[in-house]
């Protein structure tokens, strides 16, 4: 892949790797391209999306996105996840996928989506170079899905997953946010669903964010009981490879699918952190639960600024904390995950 062989502002000799004080290497960029969303997930945007006073036009444009991705790729990034808000709400989503895929050094172009457009558009995303898909499905019961997301789109999302498998995606990752009173007992139905499908179902513990009120206290459920159930029923923890993220992945010989557990409140969760985030307006976030973010946009205006851009990112990285402080109730500046891309 790669249109910008030889035209990068950095020569090969200059190329380096983003690394922090704890020797964690960052090769994975999560890039938000919009914070607009059409769903109203109870744990994210329960009242729907409300513009924060700026127009959508102030989201990064394609040229700015390309410059960010070039800079990260020149410093060792091999995987970019395009997220939001709902990234597919951008009319130029497929062009963005194509442009990221066509960057030297980028081997994986992933997305996280609520899936409502997947059935109709996944073929064109694949053609554009999308390699990995994460789709959110918090319940396999259409009514409950509607209740959690505020949208009656369960069947559209399911058709999208089936279509993606049909056209050759080898595995689809499905995100399920664990919510005690909604899907706390749904493990058997999820297990049944993945028995014959190559789906990695990822249970994500609910994370407390700035705008969340009593929901966290009412709905947070630890992944421990799921882990115990899996282990008691013959599931085995998959050995992590060097570049794997913080999910604990379980496999079983009778199942085509896998189960992932994302437990941010568990000790050691941040040790394998390998990702950086850039918001839809061009701020670097060192942690999902960090502070305000480091402005990058002024350094996205010309190709010649790449060296300065890299220096600012590396400078910020030198201040990255060893872990988040969620256990102490410190949620950082993130009002909800739609704002910087979950
Ligand atoms: N709209 C897309 C979607 O829902 O997949 C992408 C953005 S969404 C913010 C990314 C992921 O974050 C989704 O899987 C969502 O379920 C998850 N998420 C959002 N808020 C969360 C929270 N407070 N705790 C845990 N996961 C959350
Ligand atoms: Fe939208 Fe995703 Fe947030 Fe749900 S989790 S409201 S789909 S951004």
């Amino acid at each position: 892949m790669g249109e910008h062989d030889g035209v990068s502002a950095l020569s090969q000799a200059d190329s380096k790797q983003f690394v922090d004080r704890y020797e964690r290497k960052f090769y994975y960029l999560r890039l938000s391209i919009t914070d607009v969303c059409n769903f109203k997930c109870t744990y994210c945007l329960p009242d729907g999306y409300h513009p924060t006073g700026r127009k959508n036009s102030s989201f990064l444009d394609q040229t700015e996105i390309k410059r960010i991705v070039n800079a990260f790729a020149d410093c060792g990034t091999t995987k970019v996840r395009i997220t939001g808000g709902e990234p597919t709400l951008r009319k130029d989503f497929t062009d963005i996928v194509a442009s990221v895929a066509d960057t030297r050094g980028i081997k994986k172009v992933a997305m996280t989506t609520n899936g409502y457009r997947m059935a109709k558009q996944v073929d064109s995303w694949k053609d554009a170079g999308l390699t990995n898909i994460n789709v959110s499905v918090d319940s396999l019961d259409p009514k409950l899905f509607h209740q959690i997301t505020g949208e009656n789109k369960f069947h559209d999302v399911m058709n999208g997953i089936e279509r993606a498998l049909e056209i050759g995606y080898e595995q689809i990752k499905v995100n399920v946010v664990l919510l005690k009173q909604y899907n706390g007992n749904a493990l058997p139905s999820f297990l049944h669903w993945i028995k014959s499908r190559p789906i990695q179902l990822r249970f994500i513990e609910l994370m407390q964010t700035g705008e969340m009120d009593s929901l966290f206290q009412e709905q947070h459920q630890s992944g421990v009981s799921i882990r115990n159930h899996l282990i008691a029923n013959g599931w085995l923890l998959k050995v992590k490879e060097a570049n794997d993220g913080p999910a604990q992945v379980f496999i079983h010989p009778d199942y085509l699918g896998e189960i992932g557990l994302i437990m941010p409140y568990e000790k050691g969760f941040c040790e394998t952190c390998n990702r950086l985030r850039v918001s839809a307006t061009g701020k670097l976030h060192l942690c999902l639960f960090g502070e305000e973010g480091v402005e990058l946009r002024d350094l996205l205006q010309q190709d010649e600024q790449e060296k300065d851009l890299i220096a600012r990112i590396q400078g910020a990285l030198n201040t990255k904390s060893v872990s988040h402080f969620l256990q102490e109730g410190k949620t950082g500046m993130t009002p909800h995950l739609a704002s910087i891309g979950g």
Side-chain angles (χ1 to χ4, degrees):
M1 287 182 181
E3 68 172 8
H4 88 303
D5 292 56
V7 295
S8 160
L10 272 192
S11 73
Q12 274 300 86
D14 287 326
S15 71
K16 45 184 176 178
Q17 167 86 50
F18 285 139
V19 61
D20 74 0
R21 292 176 291 169
Y22 307 98
E23 292 182 20
R24 290 176 295 194
K25 289 183 178 150
F26 296 85
Y27 68 92
Y28 176 14
L29 169 65
R30 290 193 170 207
L31 180 65
S32 175
I33 58 170
T34 179
D35 56 22
V36 182
C37 190
N38 56 332
F39 278 27
K40 303 181 193 70
C41 299
T42 44
Y43 49 79
C44 184
L45 295 173
D47 303 319
Y49 172 74
H50 294 291
T52 48
R54 62 165 185 269
K55 294 204 175 91
N56 295 355
S57 61
S58 73
F59 294 133
L60 296 171
D61 65 28
Q62 283 191 51
T63 310
E64 292 170 315
I65 288 173
K66 187 70 183 169
R67 289 190 180 122
I68 288 183
V69 176
N70 279 347
F72 273 83
D74 281 332
C75 290
T77 292
T78 56
K79 175 174 173 183
V80 177
R81 175 174 302 283
I82 304 171
T83 181
E86 177 46 41
T88 62
L89 287 177
R90 265 185 76 152
K91 290 199 175 64
D92 56 357
F93 173 72
T94 309
D95 295 334
I96 293 171
V97 170
S99 150
V100 175
D102 191 27
T103 304
R104 180 171 58 88
I106 300 300
K107 298 191 180 98
K108 285 188 183 173
V109 185
M111 74 182 297
T112 306
T113 177
N114 62 29
Y116 90 108
R117 278 202 170 146
M118 216 158 100
K120 289 195 180 119
Q121 296 186 349
V122 70
D123 292 56
S124 61
W125 303 340
K126 187 161 189 284
D127 291 345
L130 187 75
T131 58
N132 297 73
I133 300 175
N134 282 36
V135 53
S136 302
V137 183
D138 294 323
S139 174
L140 293 176
D141 170 353
K143 277 199 194 124
L144 208 49
F145 179 95
H146 188 169
Q147 219 179 317
I148 298 171
T149 62
E151 289 294 323
N152 189 12
K153 300 235 183 289
F154 175 77
H155 296 290
D156 296 315
V157 177
M158 287 312 208
N159 290 340
I161 294 173
E162 298 300 339
R163 180 67 196 157
L165 293 173
E166 221 171 87
I167 64 171
Y169 281 97
E170 282 174 16
Q171 189 189 55
I172 301 293
K173 290 184 176 166
V174 170
N175 292 351
V176 181
V177 177
L178 269 174
L179 299 163
K180 199 186 284 177
Q181 285 152 16
Y182 292 93
N183 58 21
N185 294 322
L187 182 61
S189 59
F190 280 118
L191 288 178
H192 178 70
W193 186 50
I194 65 162
K195 188 145 194 184
S196 55
R197 287 182 180 80
I199 286 175
Q200 186 185 103
L201 194 91
R202 300 149 66 87
F203 288 106
I204 308 175
E205 283 183 1
L206 180 65
M207 300 175 225
Q208 187 156 25
T209 51
E211 281 182 2
M212 202 177 277
D213 45 25
S214 54
L215 189 92
F216 184 78
Q217 266 51 344
E218 289 158 17
Q219 299 296 345
H220 180 261
Q221 177 173 312
S222 154
V224 170
S225 58
I226 294 183
R227 186 166 60 199
N228 291 343
H229 177 94
L230 294 175
I231 293 169
N233 287 279
W235 290 77
L236 300 170
L237 184 62
K238 208 170 161 178
V239 177
K240 277 197 188 189
E241 291 178 20
N243 291 338
D244 284 346
Q248 305 166 40
V249 178
F250 290 84
I251 48 174
H252 191 293
D254 298 342
Y255 287 76
L256 202 52
E258 303 176 340
I259 297 283
L261 290 177
I262 299 174
M263 300 167 60
Y265 291 88
E266 199 162 67
K267 204 167 167 281
F269 180 78
C270 304
E271 281 166 14
T272 49
C273 185
N274 56 17
R275 58 209 55 198
L276 290 169
R277 293 179 162 83
V278 173
S279 76
T281 54
K283 283 192 171 175
L284 173 72
H285 291 271
L286 300 171
C287 174
L288 202 44
F289 302 97
E291 294 311 317
E292 204 181 326
V294 176
E295 190 58 73
L296 300 181
R297 204 158 195 181
D298 57 305
L299 296 179
L300 298 175
Q301 304 315 308
Q302 291 167 358
D303 290 340
E304 293 68 33
Q305 292 174 300
E306 191 182 285
K307 268 193 170 174
D308 293 336
L309 178 63
I310 288 173
R312 189 178 292 172
I313 297 169
Q314 184 57 61
L317 209 40
N318 293 339
T319 69
K320 183 170 161 69
S321 302
V322 67
S323 88
H324 61 59
F325 299 98
L326 277 178
Q327 290 89 344
E328 288 132 68
K330 292 184 187 158
T331 57
M333 296 288 286
T334 310
H336 44 71
L337 294 200
S339 66
I340 62 169

